[in-house]
Amino acid sequence: MDASQIEDALKAVKYPGFSRDIVSFGLIKNIELADGVAKVHLALTTGDPRVPTQVKTDVENVLATLDGVASSEVTVAVSKPNTPPPAPNHGGREVTGPAQQALPGVKHIIAVASGKGGVGKSTFAVNLACALDRVLTEGGRKRRVGLMDCDIYGPSAPLMMGISGQPEIQGEMLIPVENFNVRVMSMGLLIDDETPVVWRGPMIMKTIQQFAANVEWGDLDFLVVDLPPGTGDAQLSLVQTIPLRGAIVVTTPQAAAVNVARRGAMMFGKVNVPIIGVAENMSYLESSDGSKQYIFGQGGGKRTAEALETDFLGEVPLEPLLREGADQGIPVVVSDPQLPASQVFISIAERLKRDFSVADV
């Protein structure tokens, strides 16, 4: 047993909230082994006090399983961030994660993404957030879900959630606007309806960083993030700024959407964000006699999930009430939770609650 073998073993330790290990993140600064005593020194930059403790415990647990290591001494140097995360490097360097800062009180951050626009991603994100509130409320929790609308150029969450007016400011923090027990922050709450957002990349990145660092989200079990379509600055900035637990990819059945969704989803693999699964929107139109009309084709979501080697989360049908609810500011999960479309969102929410082990109390 030597230092290099210890380092290889420590690749099993993941940085909290990420699928990537602490070795590849460069957090291990020194390893020594003498007389059966392994000394490991790590350096972290984080504002979350839970992260160093978790990493130290996980490293100790791995060292305890190694032959030739009788005991261990693990030290962790922690520095707190003083500056915003740097802008993404588009020159090919992989975007990494420990520079990201966990949002205090927010346990699980889930992105809703699509490769192209027009697939109903924002409608999906809004109803998923309300579905999460529903399944958590049934378990005894209250007001534990947030929605971050990062679709800077087309912020639609305020309309779909039936909220208006600017958020309050306490000190340097914005207070999310709340409706249906979901806390919402959106660019649509910060500009008037007649003002177009004509920004270049750096301004977009700064806004997303502020949504993460300067919003008082409070204690949340889930924060649903509505990403803009594509794989540009906004997505990379988000991944660089906050620790996503995973992403849900939304597509529609037709080949054009499926092909773009596959390419878009590959971005998450490059930045080490797990894909939770693929959901298919506008899957079919159900007639009054119960028959289904596959207007945009059939099976595209399942094929996308298979290509990405992830789970298929379900088919959301074409439902007039889904569109009407979005226009009227009452998500269909709230207005009619028994509707087949609502049940798909509730099923996905129940899965997230189960997979991320969110207790009822």
Side-chain angles (χ1 to χ4, degrees), residues 166-182:
Q166 293 189 338
E168 295 181 4
I169 300 176
Q170 293 183 3
E172 297 181 354
M173 305 297 286
L174 292 169
I175 307 301
V177 180
E178 185 172 320
N179 201 14
F180 308 120
N181 290 332
V182 176

mmCIF file with all atom_site columns, all heavy atoms in Angstrom, residues 166-182:
data_model
loop_
_atom_site.group_PDB
_atom_site.id
_atom_site.type_symbol
_atom_site.label_atom_id
_atom_site.label_alt_id
_atom_site.label_comp_id
_atom_site.label_asym_id
_atom_site.label_entity_id
_atom_site.label_seq_id
_atom_site.pdbx_PDB_ins_code
_atom_site.Cartn_x
_atom_site.Cartn_y
_atom_site.Cartn_z
_atom_site.occupancy
_atom_site.B_iso_or_equiv
_atom_site.pdbx_formal_charge
_atom_site.auth_seq_id
_atom_site.auth_comp_id
_atom_site.auth_asym_id
_atom_site.auth_atom_id
_atom_site.pdbx_PDB_model_num
ATOM 1   N N   . GLN A 1 166 ? -43.105 42.896 -7.896  1.00 0.00 ? 166 GLN A N   1
ATOM 2   C CA  . GLN A 1 166 ? -41.691 42.648 -7.659  1.00 0.00 ? 166 GLN A CA  1
ATOM 3   C C   . GLN A 1 166 ? -41.467 42.029 -6.284  1.00 0.00 ? 166 GLN A C   1
ATOM 4   O O   . GLN A 1 166 ? -42.203 42.318 -5.337  1.00 0.00 ? 166 GLN A O   1
ATOM 5   C CB  . GLN A 1 166 ? -40.900 43.947 -7.791  1.00 0.00 ? 166 GLN A CB  1
ATOM 6   C CG  . GLN A 1 166 ? -40.884 44.499 -9.208  1.00 0.00 ? 166 GLN A CG  1
ATOM 7   C CD  . GLN A 1 166 ? -39.930 45.661 -9.365  1.00 0.00 ? 166 GLN A CD  1
ATOM 8   O OE1 . GLN A 1 166 ? -39.581 46.319 -8.401  1.00 0.00 ? 166 GLN A OE1 1
ATOM 9   N NE2 . GLN A 1 166 ? -39.506 45.916 -10.595 1.00 0.00 ? 166 GLN A NE2 1
ATOM 10  N N   . PRO A 1 167 ? -40.461 41.177 -6.155  1.00 0.00 ? 167 PRO A N   1
ATOM 11  C CA  . PRO A 1 167 ? -40.160 40.580 -4.851  1.00 0.00 ? 167 PRO A CA  1
ATOM 12  C C   . PRO A 1 167 ? -39.648 41.617 -3.863  1.00 0.00 ? 167 PRO A C   1
ATOM 13  O O   . PRO A 1 167 ? -39.042 42.615 -4.254  1.00 0.00 ? 167 PRO A O   1
ATOM 14  C CB  . PRO A 1 167 ? -39.079 39.539 -5.180  1.00 0.00 ? 167 PRO A CB  1
ATOM 15  C CG  . PRO A 1 167 ? -38.460 40.022 -6.448  1.00 0.00 ? 167 PRO A CG  1
ATOM 16  C CD  . PRO A 1 167 ? -39.550 40.702 -7.210  1.00 0.00 ? 167 PRO A CD  1
ATOM 17  N N   . GLU A 1 168 ? -39.897 41.366 -2.594  1.00 0.00 ? 168 GLU A N   1
ATOM 18  C CA  . GLU A 1 168 ? -39.388 42.248 -1.554  1.00 0.00 ? 168 GLU A CA  1
ATOM 19  C C   . GLU A 1 168 ? -37.881 42.063 -1.402  1.00 0.00 ? 168 GLU A C   1
ATOM 20  O O   . GLU A 1 168 ? -37.315 41.029 -1.778  1.00 0.00 ? 168 GLU A O   1
ATOM 21  C CB  . GLU A 1 168 ? -40.081 41.956 -0.225  1.00 0.00 ? 168 GLU A CB  1
ATOM 22  C CG  . GLU A 1 168 ? -41.567 42.250 -0.222  1.00 0.00 ? 168 GLU A CG  1
ATOM 23  C CD  . GLU A 1 168 ? -42.192 41.954 1.133   1.00 0.00 ? 168 GLU A CD  1
ATOM 24  O OE1 . GLU A 1 168 ? -41.441 41.601 2.065   1.00 0.00 ? 168 GLU A OE1 1
ATOM 25  O OE2 . GLU A 1 168 ? -43.417 42.077 1.247   1.00 0.00 ? 168 GLU A OE2 1
ATOM 26  N N   . ILE A 1 169 ? -37.242 43.083 -0.839  1.00 0.00 ? 169 ILE A N   1
ATOM 27  C CA  . ILE A 1 169 ? -35.807 43.023 -0.585  1.00 0.00 ? 169 ILE A CA  1
ATOM 28  C C   . ILE A 1 169 ? -35.568 43.206 0.905   1.00 0.00 ? 169 ILE A C   1
ATOM 29  O O   . ILE A 1 169 ? -36.063 44.152 1.522   1.00 0.00 ? 169 ILE A O   1
ATOM 30  C CB  . ILE A 1 169 ? -35.048 44.106 -1.366  1.00 0.00 ? 169 ILE A CB  1
ATOM 31  C CG1 . ILE A 1 169 ? -35.267 43.931 -2.868  1.00 0.00 ? 169 ILE A CG1 1
ATOM 32  C CG2 . ILE A 1 169 ? -33.562 44.071 -1.041  1.00 0.00 ? 169 ILE A CG2 1
ATOM 33  C CD1 . ILE A 1 169 ? -34.632 45.009 -3.710  1.00 0.00 ? 169 ILE A CD1 1
ATOM 34  N N   . GLN A 1 170 ? -34.837 42.272 1.498   1.00 0.00 ? 170 GLN A N   1
ATOM 35  C CA  . GLN A 1 170 ? -34.436 42.369 2.893   1.00 0.00 ? 170 GLN A CA  1
ATOM 36  C C   . GLN A 1 170 ? -32.920 42.356 2.946   1.00 0.00 ? 170 GLN A C   1
ATOM 37  O O   . GLN A 1 170 ? -32.302 41.327 2.675   1.00 0.00 ? 170 GLN A O   1
ATOM 38  C CB  . GLN A 1 170 ? -35.026 41.211 3.712   1.00 0.00 ? 170 GLN A CB  1
ATOM 39  C CG  . GLN A 1 170 ? -36.539 41.257 3.831   1.00 0.00 ? 170 GLN A CG  1
ATOM 40  C CD  . GLN A 1 170 ? -37.084 40.136 4.700   1.00 0.00 ? 170 GLN A CD  1
ATOM 41  O OE1 . GLN A 1 170 ? -36.334 39.345 5.267   1.00 0.00 ? 170 GLN A OE1 1
ATOM 42  N NE2 . GLN A 1 170 ? -38.407 40.077 4.809   1.00 0.00 ? 170 GLN A NE2 1
ATOM 43  N N   . GLY A 1 171 ? -32.355 43.516 3.282   1.00 0.00 ? 171 GLY A N   1
ATOM 44  C CA  . GLY A 1 171 ? -30.904 43.634 3.240   1.00 0.00 ? 171 GLY A CA  1
ATOM 45  C C   . GLY A 1 171 ? -30.435 43.535 1.801   1.00 0.00 ? 171 GLY A C   1
ATOM 46  O O   . GLY A 1 171 ? -30.831 44.321 0.948   1.00 0.00 ? 171 GLY A O   1
ATOM 47  N N   . GLU A 1 172 ? -29.611 42.527 1.523   1.00 0.00 ? 172 GLU A N   1
ATOM 48  C CA  . GLU A 1 172 ? -29.141 42.305 0.165   1.00 0.00 ? 172 GLU A CA  1
ATOM 49  C C   . GLU A 1 172 ? -29.834 41.116 -0.491  1.00 0.00 ? 172 GLU A C   1
ATOM 50  O O   . GLU A 1 172 ? -29.432 40.690 -1.576  1.00 0.00 ? 172 GLU A O   1
ATOM 51  C CB  . GLU A 1 172 ? -27.629 42.079 0.173   1.00 0.00 ? 172 GLU A CB  1
ATOM 52  C CG  . GLU A 1 172 ? -26.815 43.273 0.663   1.00 0.00 ? 172 GLU A CG  1
ATOM 53  C CD  . GLU A 1 172 ? -25.335 42.998 0.621   1.00 0.00 ? 172 GLU A CD  1
ATOM 54  O OE1 . GLU A 1 172 ? -24.951 41.845 0.329   1.00 0.00 ? 172 GLU A OE1 1
ATOM 55  O OE2 . GLU A 1 172 ? -24.555 43.932 0.865   1.00 0.00 ? 172 GLU A OE2 1
ATOM 56  N N   . MET A 1 173 ? -30.868 40.601 0.135   1.00 0.00 ? 173 MET A N   1
ATOM 57  C CA  . MET A 1 173 ? -31.506 39.383 -0.340  1.00 0.00 ? 173 MET A CA  1
ATOM 58  C C   . MET A 1 173 ? -32.896 39.659 -0.907  1.00 0.00 ? 173 MET A C   1
ATOM 59  O O   . MET A 1 173 ? -33.679 40.436 -0.350  1.00 0.00 ? 173 MET A O   1
ATOM 60  C CB  . MET A 1 173 ? -31.616 38.372 0.794   1.00 0.00 ? 173 MET A CB  1
ATOM 61  C CG  . MET A 1 173 ? -30.297 38.041 1.472   1.00 0.00 ? 173 MET A CG  1
ATOM 62  S SD  . MET A 1 173 ? -29.099 37.251 0.367   1.00 0.00 ? 173 MET A SD  1
ATOM 63  C CE  . MET A 1 173 ? -29.827 35.606 0.243   1.00 0.00 ? 173 MET A CE  1
ATOM 64  N N   . LEU A 1 174 ? -33.184 39.014 -2.026  1.00 0.00 ? 174 LEU A N   1
ATOM 65  C CA  . LEU A 1 174 ? -34.520 39.039 -2.603  1.00 0.00 ? 174 LEU A CA  1
ATOM 66  C C   . LEU A 1 174 ? -35.363 37.954 -1.947  1.00 0.00 ? 174 LEU A C   1
ATOM 67  O O   . LEU A 1 174 ? -34.881 36.844 -1.693  1.00 0.00 ? 174 LEU A O   1
ATOM 68  C CB  . LEU A 1 174 ? -34.455 38.777 -4.110  1.00 0.00 ? 174 LEU A CB  1
ATOM 69  C CG  . LEU A 1 174 ? -33.808 39.852 -4.985  1.00 0.00 ? 174 LEU A CG  1
ATOM 70  C CD1 . LEU A 1 174 ? -33.578 39.309 -6.393  1.00 0.00 ? 174 LEU A CD1 1
ATOM 71  C CD2 . LEU A 1 174 ? -34.683 41.090 -5.037  1.00 0.00 ? 174 LEU A CD2 1
ATOM 72  N N   . ILE A 1 175 ? -36.626 38.278 -1.674  1.00 0.00 ? 175 ILE A N   1
ATOM 73  C CA  . ILE A 1 175 ? -37.540 37.318 -1.073  1.00 0.00 ? 175 ILE A CA  1
ATOM 74  C C   . ILE A 1 175 ? -38.434 36.753 -2.167  1.00 0.00 ? 175 ILE A C   1
ATOM 75  O O   . ILE A 1 175 ? -39.152 37.519 -2.838  1.00 0.00 ? 175 ILE A O   1
ATOM 76  C CB  . ILE A 1 175 ? -38.400 37.970 0.028   1.00 0.00 ? 175 ILE A CB  1
ATOM 77  C CG1 . ILE A 1 175 ? -37.504 38.680 1.038   1.00 0.00 ? 175 ILE A CG1 1
ATOM 78  C CG2 . ILE A 1 175 ? -39.278 36.932 0.706   1.00 0.00 ? 175 ILE A CG2 1
ATOM 79  C CD1 . ILE A 1 175 ? -36.488 37.790 1.728   1.00 0.00 ? 175 ILE A CD1 1
ATOM 80  N N   . PRO A 1 176 ? -38.430 35.453 -2.391  1.00 0.00 ? 176 PRO A N   1
ATOM 81  C CA  . PRO A 1 176 ? -39.261 34.878 -3.456  1.00 0.00 ? 176 PRO A CA  1
ATOM 82  C C   . PRO A 1 176 ? -40.741 35.196 -3.254  1.00 0.00 ? 176 PRO A C   1
ATOM 83  O O   . PRO A 1 176 ? -41.218 35.320 -2.124  1.00 0.00 ? 176 PRO A O   1
ATOM 84  C CB  . PRO A 1 176 ? -39.002 33.372 -3.333  1.00 0.00 ? 176 PRO A CB  1
ATOM 85  C CG  . PRO A 1 176 ? -37.708 33.259 -2.604  1.00 0.00 ? 176 PRO A CG  1
ATOM 86  C CD  . PRO A 1 176 ? -37.655 34.431 -1.680  1.00 0.00 ? 176 PRO A CD  1
ATOM 87  N N   . VAL A 1 177 ? -41.439 35.326 -4.363  1.00 0.00 ? 177 VAL A N   1
ATOM 88  C CA  . VAL A 1 177 ? -42.888 35.490 -4.326  1.00 0.00 ? 177 VAL A CA  1
ATOM 89  C C   . VAL A 1 177 ? -43.510 34.094 -4.260  1.00 0.00 ? 177 VAL A C   1
ATOM 90  O O   . VAL A 1 177 ? -43.040 33.170 -4.928  1.00 0.00 ? 177 VAL A O   1
ATOM 91  C CB  . VAL A 1 177 ? -43.390 36.247 -5.564  1.00 0.00 ? 177 VAL A CB  1
ATOM 92  C CG1 . VAL A 1 177 ? -44.901 36.408 -5.532  1.00 0.00 ? 177 VAL A CG1 1
ATOM 93  C CG2 . VAL A 1 177 ? -42.716 37.612 -5.648  1.00 0.00 ? 177 VAL A CG2 1
ATOM 94  N N   . GLU A 1 178 ? -44.553 33.956 -3.473  1.00 0.00 ? 178 GLU A N   1
ATOM 95  C CA  . GLU A 1 178 ? -45.093 32.619 -3.218  1.00 0.00 ? 178 GLU A CA  1
ATOM 96  C C   . GLU A 1 178 ? -46.549 32.509 -3.637  1.00 0.00 ? 178 GLU A C   1
ATOM 97  O O   . GLU A 1 178 ? -47.352 33.419 -3.440  1.00 0.00 ? 178 GLU A O   1
ATOM 98  C CB  . GLU A 1 178 ? -44.958 32.284 -1.734  1.00 0.00 ? 178 GLU A CB  1
ATOM 99  C CG  . GLU A 1 178 ? -45.370 30.867 -1.387  1.00 0.00 ? 178 GLU A CG  1
ATOM 100 C CD  . GLU A 1 178 ? -45.040 30.529 0.065   1.00 0.00 ? 178 GLU A CD  1
ATOM 101 O OE1 . GLU A 1 178 ? -43.960 30.927 0.541   1.00 0.00 ? 178 GLU A OE1 1
ATOM 102 O OE2 . GLU A 1 178 ? -45.881 29.875 0.707   1.00 0.00 ? 178 GLU A OE2 1
ATOM 103 N N   . ASN A 1 179 ? -46.875 31.372 -4.241  1.00 0.00 ? 179 ASN A N   1
ATOM 104 C CA  . ASN A 1 179 ? -48.256 31.010 -4.539  1.00 0.00 ? 179 ASN A CA  1
ATOM 105 C C   . ASN A 1 179 ? -48.347 29.492 -4.613  1.00 0.00 ? 179 ASN A C   1
ATOM 106 O O   . ASN A 1 179 ? -47.383 28.830 -5.003  1.00 0.00 ? 179 ASN A O   1
ATOM 107 C CB  . ASN A 1 179 ? -48.723 31.625 -5.866  1.00 0.00 ? 179 ASN A CB  1
ATOM 108 C CG  . ASN A 1 179 ? -50.244 31.703 -5.963  1.00 0.00 ? 179 ASN A CG  1
ATOM 109 O OD1 . ASN A 1 179 ? -50.955 31.540 -4.963  1.00 0.00 ? 179 ASN A OD1 1
ATOM 110 N ND2 . ASN A 1 179 ? -50.757 31.958 -7.150  1.00 0.00 ? 179 ASN A ND2 1
ATOM 111 N N   . PHE A 1 180 ? -49.468 28.962 -4.211  1.00 0.00 ? 180 PHE A N   1
ATOM 112 C CA  . PHE A 1 180 ? -49.686 27.514 -4.175  1.00 0.00 ? 180 PHE A CA  1
ATOM 113 C C   . PHE A 1 180 ? -48.596 26.810 -3.368  1.00 0.00 ? 180 PHE A C   1
ATOM 114 O O   . PHE A 1 180 ? -48.187 25.688 -3.678  1.00 0.00 ? 180 PHE A O   1
ATOM 115 C CB  . PHE A 1 180 ? -49.754 26.932 -5.595  1.00 0.00 ? 180 PHE A CB  1
ATOM 116 C CG  . PHE A 1 180 ? -50.731 27.633 -6.500  1.00 0.00 ? 180 PHE A CG  1
ATOM 117 C CD1 . PHE A 1 180 ? -50.305 28.242 -7.661  1.00 0.00 ? 180 PHE A CD1 1
ATOM 118 C CD2 . PHE A 1 180 ? -52.075 27.689 -6.175  1.00 0.00 ? 180 PHE A CD2 1
ATOM 119 C CE1 . PHE A 1 180 ? -51.204 28.897 -8.498  1.00 0.00 ? 180 PHE A CE1 1
ATOM 120 C CE2 . PHE A 1 180 ? -52.987 28.341 -7.003  1.00 0.00 ? 180 PHE A CE2 1
ATOM 121 C CZ  . PHE A 1 180 ? -52.547 28.945 -8.161  1.00 0.00 ? 180 PHE A CZ  1
ATOM 122 N N   . ASN A 1 181 ? -48.101 27.490 -2.343  1.00 0.00 ? 181 ASN A N   1
ATOM 123 C CA  . ASN A 1 181 ? -47.061 26.958 -1.453  1.00 0.00 ? 181 ASN A CA  1
ATOM 124 C C   . ASN A 1 181 ? -45.704 26.782 -2.135  1.00 0.00 ? 181 ASN A C   1
ATOM 125 O O   . ASN A 1 181 ? -44.822 26.113 -1.594  1.00 0.00 ? 181 ASN A O   1
ATOM 126 C CB  . ASN A 1 181 ? -47.476 25.614 -0.833  1.00 0.00 ? 181 ASN A CB  1
ATOM 127 C CG  . ASN A 1 181 ? -48.595 25.760 0.169   1.00 0.00 ? 181 ASN A CG  1
ATOM 128 O OD1 . ASN A 1 181 ? -48.750 26.817 0.800   1.00 0.00 ? 181 ASN A OD1 1
ATOM 129 N ND2 . ASN A 1 181 ? -49.395 24.725 0.319   1.00 0.00 ? 181 ASN A ND2 1
ATOM 130 N N   . VAL A 1 182 ? -45.531 27.350 -3.310  1.00 0.00 ? 182 VAL A N   1
ATOM 131 C CA  . VAL A 1 182 ? -44.254 27.255 -4.030  1.00 0.00 ? 182 VAL A CA  1
ATOM 132 C C   . VAL A 1 182 ? -43.615 28.639 -4.071  1.00 0.00 ? 182 VAL A C   1
ATOM 133 O O   . VAL A 1 182 ? -44.259 29.623 -4.441  1.00 0.00 ? 182 VAL A O   1
ATOM 134 C CB  . VAL A 1 182 ? -44.464 26.732 -5.470  1.00 0.00 ? 182 VAL A CB  1
ATOM 135 C CG1 . VAL A 1 182 ? -43.145 26.740 -6.240  1.00 0.00 ? 182 VAL A CG1 1
ATOM 136 C CG2 . VAL A 1 182 ? -45.060 25.326 -5.443  1.00 0.00 ? 182 VAL A CG2 1
#
